[in-house]
Amino acid sequence: MSLLFKSFLNYICSMNVLIENAKQVITCHSRGRKFKSGKNQSEIGLINNHSIYIENGRIKWIGNKLPSVLRKKNVLKINAGNKTVLPGFIDSHTHLVFAGNRADEYSMRINGSTYEQIAKTGGGILNTVEAVRKASKNELLELAAKRVESSIGFGVTTIEAKSGYGLDTVSEIKMLEVINELNQILPVDVYPTFLGAHAFPKDKTKDEYIDEILYEMIPQIAKKNLAIFIDAFCERKYFSAAQTEKIFRQGTKFSLIPKLHTNQFYSVGGIQAALKCGAVSVDHLEVMTARDIKALKGKSTIACLLPGVSYFLDIPYAPARMLIENKVPVALATDFNPGSAMSENIQFTMSLAVQLLRMNVEETINAVTINAAAALGVSHNVGSIETGKQGDLLIFDTPNYKDILYHFGVNQLEYVIKKGEVIHKNPL
Ligand code: NIG
Ligand code: FE
């Protein structure tokens, strides 16, 4: 974190804050449920002209008549008349720790090469692996911290970050240590995911590498307590459903919670493997068969869609409507990474969801709040504005939540509040 940012934080921080008279509050309330699905995903819990009081980092009171004790309280007060308050956004799928630059690959793609062709010639994930192995921990930390700070400016108050550009024990641990350090030094919550099974390194056979994941990486990472989740890239030419299942079974033995990259290019049984291993989310889902959708129906596994990847790689968009119609809870995330989605702007992801996944505005908002929280298993604590929950919220400079999507490509966010502290204020 830059010193300037830190001193700015100290200047504006307060654990108690009173947000007064917000024109609209979008609560995304879940009333004890972990997520919203089907028709319920369109319910955002809009209330008008309400105030919110956060004390010691938690939402203590929400109401439309300010009790005099609160009015007199000597706390930071923010007048939100004519503004809209939402829960902090949650980006539940990112690869924001990386070094190097793949702008040249991007150019090649624009000129006609495909993502898969570039990967075949040693580009793609392996290109970033080379840069990450060479980078020091401090270099990675500085690059990643800047990216998280930028995410915060778009309204992200909780973020997940994956390893997966190390592909050997030392480098995977280096990445996870960086992610854990981000969580320490930044004002947002950063959730670490071990993604050793992201690709196969050049210097080992597939079996050798899977053994390294199973018997070196997982035990060491668990012992050092470096990850909460375990992920894999289940895809043709990457990890098969059987290999994914083997890796997840070992992960769960060490208390890591599975989430899975699957169905990005082909349907190869990843969803079924993920469900068998109790995955909290299945992510991507650009290519879905009727069997895959049926498998997810009625389950509590979150479908985390990443429309930024479809946009950036020019591949099909996930069948969001079909998922929602089948009552599958849908979350949205940026998938911020240097190869397939080079953007941390979650508001852009939301815009793509509305325009190209054909999700409505309300479904989209729930997908980056309560359902995204469920994709990280933390919807009891964050993802909605309800008393008792963590005081993570956003104040937009608009009287109508629909403006956030209607007025596209423009950041109307004014304040970002995390645990009752103003951690960011955008100049308007
Ligand atoms: O989520 N699909 C696999 N992994 C990333 C891409 C990573 C990269 O190209 O560097 C993704 O799209
Ligand atoms: Fe990803």
Side-chain angles (χ1 to χ4, degrees):
M1 175 166 18
S2 74
L3 283 175
L4 201 67
F5 185 65
K6 193 126 208 173
S7 60
F8 173 67
L9 270 184
N10 291 339
Y11 172 63
I12 54 177
C13 272
S14 153
M15 292 292 279
N16 300 343
V17 61
L18 179 63
I19 296 151
E20 286 185 284
N21 201 27
K23 177 83 185 153
Q24 293 188 340
V25 177
I26 308 303
T27 64
C28 298
H29 60 66
S30 62
R31 297 208 174 96
R33 274 176 308 201
K34 285 191 179 153
F35 54 77
K36 300 190 181 204
S37 60
K39 286 208 171 65
N40 204 22
Q41 182 148 0
S42 294
E43 284 295 319
I44 50 164
L46 163 67
I47 47 180
N48 294 299
N49 306 314
H50 271 58
S51 301
I52 302 165
Y53 176 55
I54 302 172
E55 191 174 83
N56 298 326
R58 300 226 151 244
I59 300 171
K60 179 120 196 244
W61 176 87
I62 306 168
N64 57 4
K65 255 200 132 119
L66 208 60
S68 60
V69 46
L70 274 187
R71 201 172 306 128
K72 285 187 211 136
K73 242 186 160 62
N74 188 17
V75 293
L76 176 68
K77 295 188 171 101
I78 300 174
N79 181 357
N82 236 25
K83 302 191 184 202
T84 299
V85 179
L86 278 90
F89 296 150
I90 294 167
D91 195 349
S92 68
H93 181 139
T94 84
H95 308 247
L96 60 85
V97 177
F98 61 85
N101 180 302
R102 281 158 62 188
D104 289 341
E105 286 184 8
Y106 176 66
S107 259
M108 282 163 70
R109 284 200 293 101
I110 294 300
N111 290 326
S113 305
T114 67
Y115 183 76
E116 284 165 298
Q117 281 165 351
I118 290 169
K120 238 190 228 159
T121 56
I125 295 172
L126 293 182
N127 183 344
T128 303
V129 170
E130 232 181 277
V132 165
R133 285 182 178 177
K134 278 192 203 136
S136 72
K137 224 166 102 178
N138 269 346
E139 280 162 355
L140 288 176
L141 185 65
E142 208 161 296
L143 287 166
K146 271 201 195 122
R147 294 176 191 133
V148 178
E149 283 167 18
S150 173
S151 299
I152 293 171
F154 293 110
V156 170
T157 53
T158 298
I159 195 161
E160 181 258 18
K162 300 173 197 295
S163 68
Y165 290 125
L167 307 189
D168 63 35
T169 307
V170 169
S171 312
E172 284 294 306
I173 286 180
K174 176 171 76 175
M175 286 191 76
L176 286 169
E177 283 173 349
V178 168
I179 296 167
N180 280 274
E181 205 151 326
L182 290 170
N183 187 46
Q184 296 297 319
I185 64 170
L186 295 175
V188 292
D189 296 311
V190 185
Y191 286 89
T193 297
F194 168 54
L195 176 59
H198 194 193
F200 288 101
K202 280 192 256 177
D203 47 359
K204 289 188 182 87
T205 67
K206 288 189 175 184
D207 285 343
E208 276 168 1
Y209 186 57
I210 290 176
D211 279 355
E212 185 175 349
I213 293 175
L214 295 175
Y215 306 114
E216 287 185 38
M217 294 187 188
I218 292 175
Q220 287 189 36
I221 286 161
K223 194 165 169 215
K224 290 174 186 264
N225 213 2
L226 287 175
I228 293 176
F229 302 101
I230 182 162
D231 196 343
F233 186 21
C234 185
E235 186 59 58
R236 220 179 259 182
K237 302 214 178 76
Y238 290 82
F239 293 80
S240 69
Q243 289 165 336
T244 298
E245 204 180 317
K246 202 167 171 190
I247 290 165
F248 279 3
R249 294 253 178 248
Q250 177 77 335
T252 52
K253 257 196 220 156
F254 285 86
S255 302
L256 298 171
I257 303 164
K259 345 164 89 307
L260 185 63
H261 284 73
T262 188
N263 295 58
Q264 181 178 359
F265 299 106
Y266 300 97
S267 171
V268 297
I271 288 177
Q272 291 71 15
L275 289 172
K276 270 199 244 168
C277 299
V280 70
S281 73
V282 282
D283 303 32
H284 273 290
L285 315 189
E286 288 86 350
V287 176
M288 292 288 279
T289 65
R291 191 175 147 254
D292 293 330
I293 298 207
K294 206 167 149 214
L296 287 177
K297 198 173 175 168
K299 305 284 191 327
S300 55
T301 300
I302 308 293
C304 180
L305 309 184
L306 313 166
V309 175
S310 301
Y311 172 83
F312 201 64
L313 294 186
D314 197 15
I315 62 171
Y317 284 82
R321 287 263 50 90
M322 218 173 338
L323 288 162
I324 291 173
E325 274 152 28
N326 280 282
K327 297 196 173 59
V328 179
V330 169
L332 290 160
T334 60
D335 195 13
F336 182 24
N337 76 75
S340 70
M342 185 60 193
S343 176
E344 67 278 39
N345 184 345
I346 197 158
Q347 292 186 35
F348 180 63
T349 306
M350 294 165 73
S351 184
L352 292 176
V354 171
Q355 289 294 132
L356 293 155
L357 297 180
R358 313 308 303 175
M359 288 170 65
N360 66 35
V361 171
E362 293 77 15
E363 287 165 344
T364 298
I365 289 173
N366 279 320
V368 292
T369 55
I370 190 72
N371 283 5
L376 294 176
V378 291
S379 58
H380 56 284
N381 192 39
V382 292
S384 61
I385 300 177
E386 294 173 276
T387 50
K389 280 204 167 178
Q390 199 162 280
D392 297 1
L393 35 93
L394 311 174
I395 305 177
F396 282 84
D397 187 30
T398 166
N400 182 352
Y401 71 92
K402 291 176 184 162
D403 283 339
I404 297 166
L405 286 144
Y406 166 59
H407 192 174
F408 73 95
V410 171
N411 193 358
Q412 298 158 82
L413 176 60
E414 190 174 358
Y415 291 94
V416 181
I417 297 172
K418 178 74 185 176
K419 295 180 192 159
E421 296 179 3
V422 177
I423 60 165
H424 186 91
K425 187 172 185 305
N426 280 329
L428 292 176

